[in-house]
Amino acid sequence: MKLSSLVQLCLTAATVQAQSLLDATAQYPQLSDFNELLSTFPDIAAGLLTNISTGSSQQTILVPSNDAFDDYQRQNGASVGSLSSPDVGNILNYHTLPGALSSSDIQQPNGLVAETALRNSTYARRENATDAGDSLPQVVYISSTETALGRKIKARQISALSSVDVRSGEGNEVELEQTPGNWSGGVFYGQ
């Protein structure tokens, strides 16, 4: 009797951990536009939705919030969903980092430079942007600072600021959630 209970508990735990990115982010209403984008472009999103059991390496996904999608539409007059598949693929690759970065990883005192999965030479913003003919991956700089309201994590690609932030190749800065969400392929941080 005890053995069957233990087996059932282990199976339940394995089922909970084998959660796609789509299922994991669906628990956060502020990330619903991201889920809609993944659903609209399933072929492009396939790499993000890969289950860990297939042998894929762990990833960290910087998930844009609904506010980020709204900002994009205000600034560009069109939604992210209206972009071509290759453009959406570039956006998703830019938001994908190799390895499952923990909260302590992204809160390093001197910041963290993290490579992204974006290797498209069109967006090359690094010196010597090719490595033996291949484009080097784009990077983001993630830093953390203490504020009156607590610790902030931000990410960016240009000079450091006084909180954890991310800047994109366009110089945009976004704040990240300090605690990652988990999915079977790694972790995600809402922006």
Side-chain angles (χ1 to χ4, degrees), residues 88-169:
V88 171
N90 288 329
I91 291 169
L92 293 176
N93 282 331
Y94 187 76
H95 286 81
T96 304
L97 313 177
L101 300 175
S102 68
S103 292
S104 60
D105 289 334
I106 66 171
Q107 293 184 48
Q108 293 181 18
N110 295 322
L112 169 71
V113 175
E115 291 185 349
T116 73
L118 181 59
R119 289 182 164 268
N120 186 325
S121 61
T122 301
Y123 304 100
R125 301 222 190 305
R126 296 172 66 180
E127 279 188 41
N128 305 320
T130 59
D131 182 22
D134 293 328
S135 293
L136 293 175
Q138 295 302 298
V139 297
V140 292
Y141 175 72
I142 303 173
S143 63
S144 171
T145 59
E146 196 67 39
T147 69
L149 300 175
R151 184 164 292 281
K152 285 191 176 185
I153 300 174
K154 295 184 181 182
R156 62 182 174 271
Q157 193 170 8
I158 58 178
S159 64
L161 298 177
S162 59
S163 62
V164 179
D165 56 0
V166 177
R167 289 224 181 189
S168 73

Side-chain angles (χ1 to χ4, degrees), residues 26-85:
Q27 299 173 35
Y28 301 86
Q30 70 273 23
L31 304 178
S32 62
D33 288 347
F34 179 77
N35 280 356
E36 185 177 326
L37 184 69
L38 292 182
S39 297
T40 303
F41 293 91
D43 54 327
I44 300 298
L48 296 177
L49 302 175
T50 302
N51 188 298
I52 188 77
S53 65
T54 64
S56 301
S57 62
Q58 295 279 291
Q59 302 173 71
T60 298
I61 310 297
L62 306 177
V63 180
S65 68
N66 294 349
D67 290 342
F69 281 89
D70 292 344
D71 288 346
Y72 179 88
Q73 185 161 354
R74 267 191 301 279
Q75 293 172 7
N76 296 286
S79 70
V80 173
S82 69
L83 295 173
S84 69
S85 289

